[in-house]
Amino acid sequence: MLLLVLGTAAGGGIPQWNCACPGCSGARAHPHRRRRHASLAVRTGEGRWYVVNATPDIGDQIEDRPELHPGPGPRQTPIAGVVLTDAELDHTLGLARLREADRLQVTATAPVRQALRDRLRLGEVLTPYTDLTWRDLPARGAEPLDPTASGLRISGIPVSGKRPRYAADAPDDDAWVVALRLYDPASGATALYAPALAAWPDSLQQAAAEADCVIVDGTFWDDEEPRRTGISSRTATGMGHLPIDGPGGTAERLAPLSARCLYTHLNNTNPLVDPAAPQHKRLARLGIEVAYDGMVIEP
Ligand SMILES: [Zn+2]
C-alpha cells in the first residue's frame, strides 16, 4: 500500500487567508510551515490513484506530486476517483475544481452524498461539465476501492453524526463522518484514515487495534484551545474534534497501539504548527508522529 499525504491542515489551511494568528503569521514568515488542507492519495495500481477528500487546494495538491500529473495522453489523468470521509466544505469544495475531468467518480456514504446533492446542488452544477457518478462507501464489510485494479479494499467506519453547518437540519445518521479503512490483501496491511473525529466509538477502537497505520484528527491540541485562542465560544469537542491532549484525548488512545500513529488536519491555532513547540517532544515520547505535506507512507 502506498499513501501520499497531500495536505495536513484543518479548514482554512495554514496560513488561512484572513487570519493573523501566530500559526498563520508564522507560516507566512516561514514557508516550510505552510500546510495545505488535509488530504491523502491512495495508489491502487500502476499510475492509478484515488484522492481522499477533495479540498479547495486540490489543483495545487495535484501539481505538487509528479505521480498525480496527467499524461501521456493530453487529458489522461492518473486520478481514478475521489473518496469522502464526510461532507465538510474543506473536504468537498475541491470537487468543483475537478469539473474539467471527462468523468468524476465520488465514493461517499448516503448522508454525505445527499448533502452534496440536495444542499450544495453539486449534481446539478457539475453534470453539465463532467460525467459525475456516485458510489456507496460501505459502512460495513469492505469492497474494492478500484474495481479495475489491484485488490485494495475500503470501508467506512461510522464515527459520528456531526453534520456540516450548511446541513445542520438534515436527518440524523451515524455515517455523516466515517473513518476510512484501507486493506491491502496482497501485503495484509491495514491503514485507518480519520481526519475528523467527534467521538471514538468501539468499532473505531477495534479497527485501530488491528491496523498497521492510523492517521487521525489532530485539529486541536487541547479541549480549551478554540476558546483560549478566541476562534470560537465552543470547546474542541463541542466543535466536533476530540482534542489530542488531556483526559479523553486521542493521544492516550493512540499511545498503546502497536500501529504507526500520525496526526493530520491541524488547525492554525494548534501549537504543533510551530516545529519548535515542546508539544512535538511530548508526542515523540508517546511514539506518535505529526504528518507533514508531501509525506509518503507505506503501511
Ligand atoms: Zn490563523
Side-chain angles (χ1 to χ4, degrees):
M1 195 187 314
L2 188 62
L3 310 174
L4 304 180
V5 177
L6 304 182
T8 52
I14 305 170
Q16 179 175 314
W17 67 278
N18 65 343
C19 190
C21 76
C24 290
S25 302
R28 288 190 186 96
H30 308 283
H32 66 278
R33 296 191 193 176
R34 287 172 179 258
R35 290 174 185 264
R36 298 194 198 276
H37 286 92
S39 176
L40 197 66
V42 182
R43 196 177 76 142
T44 57
E46 197 56 42
R48 274 182 82 82
W49 296 83
Y50 279 73
V51 175
V52 182
N53 292 331
T55 86
D57 298 322
I58 194 163
D60 302 309
Q61 289 172 319
I62 290 168
E63 287 305 314
D64 283 347
R65 298 299 319 197
E67 300 93 326
L68 304 181
H69 289 177
R75 289 285 163 88
Q76 192 180 344
T77 171
I79 295 168
V82 175
V83 183
L84 302 175
T85 58
D86 53 74
E88 295 294 336
L89 290 177
D90 60 314
H91 294 161
T92 56
L93 285 178
L95 291 173
R97 268 200 89 176
L98 299 179
R99 67 189 179 280
E100 294 88 359
D102 289 336
R103 65 188 72 85
L104 182 55
Q105 185 202 66
V106 181
T107 303
T109 62
V112 168
R113 204 166 52 232
Q114 222 151 19
L116 299 182
R117 278 173 165 175
D118 300 347
R119 307 287 172 134
L120 295 186
R121 306 240 168 242
L122 270 185
E124 283 167 55
V125 167
L126 289 178
T127 297
Y129 299 90
T130 185
D131 178 12
L132 179 65
T133 55
W134 302 91
R135 198 170 61 141
D136 198 41
L137 178 58
R140 276 147 203 99
E143 62 176 50
L145 171 57
D146 184 348
T148 69
S150 75
L152 208 65
R153 300 175 81 81
I154 51 161
S155 57
I157 299 162
V159 164
S160 80
K162 192 213 167 199
R163 278 147 286 205
R165 273 193 252 173
Y166 67 81
D169 59 341
D172 281 338
D173 196 300
D174 69 349
W176 274 105
V177 180
V178 298
L180 195 70
R181 185 176 179 271
L182 297 157
Y183 169 63
D184 183 354
S187 67
T190 299
L192 209 56
Y193 183 66
L197 278 181
W200 193 287
D202 291 344
S203 50
L204 180 66
Q205 177 62 32
Q206 194 183 335
E210 293 166 0
D212 300 286
C213 177
V214 177
I215 309 170
V216 302
D217 185 345
T219 308
F220 298 113
W221 177 259
D222 64 85
D223 209 27
E224 282 299 321
E225 181 185 314
R227 297 209 280 217
R228 189 175 56 247
T229 55
I231 60 156
S232 175
S233 56
R234 292 175 293 170
T235 60
T237 312
M239 292 179 75
H241 298 283
L242 293 178
I244 294 172
D245 195 36
T250 49
E252 63 182 29
R253 301 275 194 176
L254 298 180
L257 297 175
S258 57
R260 180 180 180 189
C261 296
L262 306 100
Y263 281 113
T264 186
H265 204 271
L266 273 60
N267 196 55
N268 42 50
T269 53
N270 189 323
L272 291 172
V273 304
D274 178 354
Q279 285 84 351
H280 283 280
K281 286 192 179 125
R282 293 263 304 276
L283 291 183
R285 278 198 294 273
L286 297 172
I288 304 171
E289 300 171 63
V290 178
Y292 55 85
D293 293 24
M295 195 174 197
V296 178
I297 301 174
E298 291 182 77

